Amino acid sequence: MSALRELYQEVIVDHSKHPRNYGSLKDANYKKEGYNPLCGDKLTVYILEDQGAIQNLQFEGSGCAISMASASLMTEVLKGKTREEIAELFHDFHQLITQGHEAALEEKLGKLSVLAGVSEFPARVKCATLAWHTLKAALAGDHQNVSTE
């Protein structure tokens, strides 16, 4: 196993065991639950948006290592971002985890690129995108349940 791949795995394990921004957010103006029935991942995303940008972003729930690491990394990366920036990052992130390693995307996505290996396991793409789809639905005011199925 390459040193880079090993480092990526360590980062994923660290974020899954010690998720950043974990817990409810009392002053959130958006809250949404998401569920991945295939893996059993369940999470709730809390968003505080003010003046057109994400001021705070947290999540809580349980799931596989990929799901928890992705949610944790997402909360770190999206703080301070506008909806337009979030939409672009979602698009690029989805492209990376479905199509694999691409230097330009990895550079653009920074720490999110640790999840590029998910592309080798198509069934895990839903795990990696659950938090993202949940956040997207919350910001859109979508009242439908978020499910990866």
Side-chain angles (χ1 to χ4, degrees):
M1 180 182 303
S2 76
L4 183 59
R5 188 176 197 149
E6 196 171 302
L7 173 64
Y8 281 7
Q9 286 183 339
E10 288 176 20
V11 171
I12 291 168
V13 169
D14 181 51
H15 273 270
S16 70
K17 288 185 176 182
H18 310 287
R20 283 39 159 206
N21 303 302
Y22 188 87
S24 65
L25 185 59
K26 303 294 183 224
D27 55 350
N29 44 19
Y30 298 96
K31 173 186 169 184
K32 192 74 177 167
E33 294 178 8
Y35 178 55
N36 176 0
L38 181 66
C39 221
D41 306 325
K42 290 183 178 183
L43 57 82
T44 304
V45 172
Y46 301 90
I47 307 161
L48 175 60
E49 182 184 36
D50 188 38
Q51 298 181 5
I54 301 297
Q55 301 302 314
N56 202 352
L57 177 60
Q58 293 193 195
F59 78 101
E60 60 185 356
S62 61
C64 69
I66 298 294
S67 175
M68 294 294 100
S70 181
S72 177
L73 287 159
M74 179 191 78
T75 63
E76 285 191 325
V77 170
L78 297 186
K79 284 185 182 179
K81 302 283 191 254
T82 64
R83 288 178 184 233
E84 184 176 286
E85 291 169 320
I86 290 168
E88 184 177 340
L89 282 167
F90 176 85
H91 175 267
D92 292 343
F93 177 71
H94 194 268
Q95 184 177 342
L96 181 72
I97 64 170
T98 56
Q99 298 176 15
H101 296 279
E102 186 180 313
L105 272 180
E106 289 184 36
E107 185 175 324
K108 190 174 180 183
L109 291 171
K111 65 174 77 177
L112 292 171
S113 65
V114 302
L115 292 162
V118 168
S119 66
E120 297 173 28
F121 308 94
R124 304 312 297 268
V125 169
K126 293 178 179 182
C127 303
T129 59
L130 177 62
W132 291 81
H133 284 294
T134 306
L135 173 112
K136 188 176 176 183
L139 290 173
D142 188 348
H143 298 292
Q144 298 291 323
N145 291 333
V146 176
S147 175
T148 56
E149 289 303 305

